[in-house]
Amino acid sequence: MRFNPKARLDTGRVRDRGRGGGGGFGRGGGSMGGARMPIPGGMRAGGGIGGVIVVVLFLVLTQCVGGGVPGLGGGSSSAYDTSRFAGSDRYENCRTGEDANDDVDCARVAVENSLHDFWSDELGDRFRPVEQLATFSGSTQTGCGGATSDVGPFYCPGDSSIYLDTTFFDAVLERQLGGPSGGFVEPYVLAHEYGHHIQNLLDTMSRVRTQQGPTSDAVRLELQADCYAGMWARAATSTEDADGNVLISELTRQDVEEAVAAAGAVGDDRIQEKTQGQVTEESWTHGSAEMRVRWFETGFDSGSLDACDTFAADRL
Ligand SMILES: [Zn+2]
């Protein structure tokens, strides 16, 4: 990824909610805000496998205490390195493409801006921006109920927002790819979630009647989001700015395969429907990795919404 250093970034829709709390684990979140939940053994966040173990343990712990043990409901944990999270000012210094080239947080803003511009052009009058691209760690409240890290990245139609726990994401990427950069992984995930936003705008979600099985509507919805991600990637690799720069200078099939595999490892994503104030835990099928890559390529090769009509496809 290479951003035009002179491009202006718009941070208006990208928010960081900081850590845990917020009532995501039920009652007591407010009073526990900012408190630290000690983890026996005094573990610390670290790189490599240690970090992954800490994250897994954190998830186990939060799952265990999530049932309402008094006083442990805050969702805060000393296991995370908080230095990267400065609450709402996480994106404050993201002003130009140069910042995006230097900083993964600012790169997230730049990718959101690129998705915004691409889909605004593509949909015209039908376009509405996402309400928020919200990053958090631990837990957060959404228009689809409370969400925790283990849900993975997701789009909530109820508040037209994308939610991303970047700590969990980083840990999985580290395990998968041996480094936090991951190349195309995060842009792919963001583009896929943005694809669900487009489906929301186009009322495609109402076409989903069947949830189970490899040719179900739920799978078709997921593969279409991959196809939409491919449409954006086509533009991002070919559209030149005023200075002749393209956003993504090179994208190989291996990059795409890697991104699809990593997204699956992150826990995939789920479209969270509003059900009694709870995030639904039912599992969604996304189709095989091979199908996902193929539909991404369909969007990439065609650049066409019509070509991404997975609901009309005989063969997925
Ligand atoms: Zn999805």
Side-chain angles (χ1 to χ4, degrees):
M1 303 287 289
R2 168 85 188 148
F3 304 96
N4 176 2
K6 287 186 251 174
R8 302 294 306 172
L9 298 185
D10 177 2
T11 57
R13 294 170 301 272
V14 186
R15 309 274 165 74
D16 186 61
R17 298 183 168 193
R19 291 155 46 76
F25 291 134
R27 291 173 224 288
S31 62
M32 288 291 288
R36 292 187 159 224
M37 183 177 78
I39 288 189
M43 276 182 295
R44 300 176 53 80
I49 194 71
V52 174
I53 291 169
V54 168
V55 168
V56 170
L57 272 172
F58 173 72
L59 292 174
V60 170
L61 276 168
T62 53
Q63 287 300 301
C64 293
V65 303
V69 177
L72 286 178
S76 295
S77 160
S78 59
Y80 284 131
D81 174 15
T82 59
S83 61
R84 288 188 54 203
F85 295 97
S88 59
D89 62 359
R90 183 174 184 178
Y91 300 106
E92 201 172 62
N93 296 319
C94 300
R95 297 200 177 88
T96 66
E98 188 167 15
D99 298 330
N101 288 327
D102 294 341
D103 182 276
V104 290
D105 287 336
C106 298
R108 186 172 304 122
V109 175
V111 169
E112 190 277 342
N113 288 185
S114 172
L115 285 160
H116 175 95
D117 292 346
F118 171 73
W119 284 110
S120 174
D121 286 350
E122 189 70 29
L123 296 190
D125 290 346
R126 292 178 293 177
F127 180 75
R128 300 283 178 278
V130 292
E131 189 65 31
Q132 276 186 35
L133 165 57
T135 49
F136 70 99
S137 72
S139 67
T140 193
Q141 275 297 333
T142 81
C144 298
T148 55
S149 313
D150 50 336
V151 172
F154 69 95
Y155 174 75
C156 170
D159 58 11
S160 301
S161 295
I162 294 168
Y163 292 92
L164 189 66
D165 181 325
T166 48
T167 40
F168 185 61
F169 205 59
D170 288 348
V172 175
L173 290 186
E174 214 164 277
R175 184 180 54 189
Q176 285 275 305
L177 304 171
S181 62
F184 186 59
V185 178
E186 184 169 332
Y188 160 74
V189 168
L190 290 176
H192 174 96
E193 299 307 333
Y194 214 98
H196 287 315
H197 176 61
I198 300 308
Q199 292 171 325
N200 194 22
L201 294 180
L202 300 180
D203 199 28
T204 314
M205 290 172 186
S206 64
R207 295 175 70 174
V208 175
R209 310 244 186 268
T210 53
Q211 304 280 350
Q212 304 289 328
T215 59
S216 65
D217 294 337
V219 168
R220 291 173 192 269
L221 195 74
E222 292 304 328
L223 295 175
Q224 187 177 60
D226 287 324
C227 194
Y228 288 174
M231 285 178 66
W232 165 76
R234 174 195 179 91
T237 51
S238 60
T239 308
E240 293 185 358
D241 63 25
D243 299 313
N245 296 316
V246 293
L247 185 65
I248 302 173
S249 53
E250 195 190 1
L251 187 64
T252 65
R253 189 187 169 95
Q254 188 186 336
D255 293 330
V256 176
E257 287 174 350
E258 198 173 78
V260 167
V266 164
D268 234 323
D269 77 303
R270 297 164 178 80
I271 298 176
Q272 303 294 342
E273 300 289 358
K274 193 166 188 169
T275 340
Q276 299 165 349
Q278 295 289 313
V279 167
T280 52
E281 295 292 338
E282 77 217 65
S283 58
W284 285 69
T285 317
H286 285 69
S288 68
E290 188 259 329
M291 287 158 85
R292 300 190 70 175
V293 170
R294 188 146 36 77
W295 278 102
F296 180 95
E297 288 180 329
T298 299
F300 189 92
D301 293 341
S302 69
S304 151
L305 276 171
D306 289 342
C308 291
D309 188 356
T310 53
F311 290 85
D314 291 332
R315 176 175 168 270
L316 293 175

